[in-house]
Structures are given as C-alpha cells and as structure tokens.
C-alpha cells in the first residue's frame, strides 16, 4: 500500500466516507488540469467546491468530467469572454 492509498483510506474513515465511492484518480486528474490550466490555488478550491456540491446533492453525475473540460478550455474561455467586452 502506498502513502496516497493509506492517506485516502485514513481520510475516508475519518470523514465517514466509503473509499469505494471515491474516484481518487479522476479527482487527481481534475486537480492537475485545474492547477495547470487555470492556476494552482484553484485546484484545492475546485476539489472543495465539488465536495460541497456532492454533499448537497447538487453536483451532476458528470461533474468531474465537466470541470475537467472547463479547466482544459480555460484559456480559450477567458480569451472569448475578454473579446466579447
């Protein structure tokens, strides 16, 4: 068992989360895309906001994929938004 697996199991136990319901790799991919495509501090913020939405039951089933796509297209979205002003 590696450190990340051990940490995930420990945090899940502490928070009362079933580790089988955590797609750790998808979440790590999401935060990587956000950190590189948007800005590094946005990565933990995005993960936190996603967790809030999941807990509130308002996150769509494809939330991770949608957020990953937003992060990958961030530069383009900002450029398009700025050109519309």
């Amino acid at each position: 068992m590696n450190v990340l697996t051990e940490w995930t199991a420990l945090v899940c136990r502490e928070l009362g989360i079933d580790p089988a319901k955590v797609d750790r790799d998808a979440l790590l991919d999401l935060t990587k895309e956000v950190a590189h495509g948007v800005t590094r501090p946005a990565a933990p913020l995005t993960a936190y906001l996603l967790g809030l939405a999941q807990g509130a039951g308002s996150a769509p089933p494809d939330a991770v994929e949608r957020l990953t796509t937003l992060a990958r297209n961030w530069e383009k979205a900002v450029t398009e938004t700025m050109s519309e002003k």
Side-chain angles (χ1 to χ4, degrees), residues 8 11-12 17 23 28 55 58-59 83:
T8 302
V11 171
C12 285
I17 298 169
D23 189 344
L28 291 174
S58 62
S83 66

Side-chain angles (χ1 to χ4, degrees), residues 56-68:
S58 62
D62 63 343
V64 172
E65 293 85 5
R66 289 170 62 173
L67 293 173
T68 300

Side-chain angles (χ1 to χ4, degrees):
M1 194 178 274
N2 68 30
V3 172
L4 189 55
T5 300
E6 292 173 10
W7 176 250
T8 302
L10 179 65
V11 171
C12 285
R13 187 172 66 235
E14 188 69 24
L15 297 176
I17 298 169
D18 178 1
K21 294 184 177 182
V22 176
D23 189 344
R24 186 188 69 206
D25 293 336
L27 186 58
L28 291 174
D29 287 343
L30 166 62
T31 56
K32 177 188 75 169
E33 292 294 337
V34 172
H36 294 283
V38 182
T39 185
R40 191 167 303 279
L45 177 60
T46 301
Y48 178 74
L49 294 173
L50 175 62
L52 287 177
Q54 290 285 3
S58 62
D62 63 343
V64 172
E65 293 85 5
R66 289 170 62 173
L67 293 173
T68 300
T69 299
L70 284 174
R72 285 182 181 146
N73 296 319
W74 173 249
E75 201 61 44
K76 180 181 174 188
V78 171
T79 302
E80 288 174 358
T81 302
M82 296 302 254
S83 66
E84 291 174 3
K85 290 183 177 182

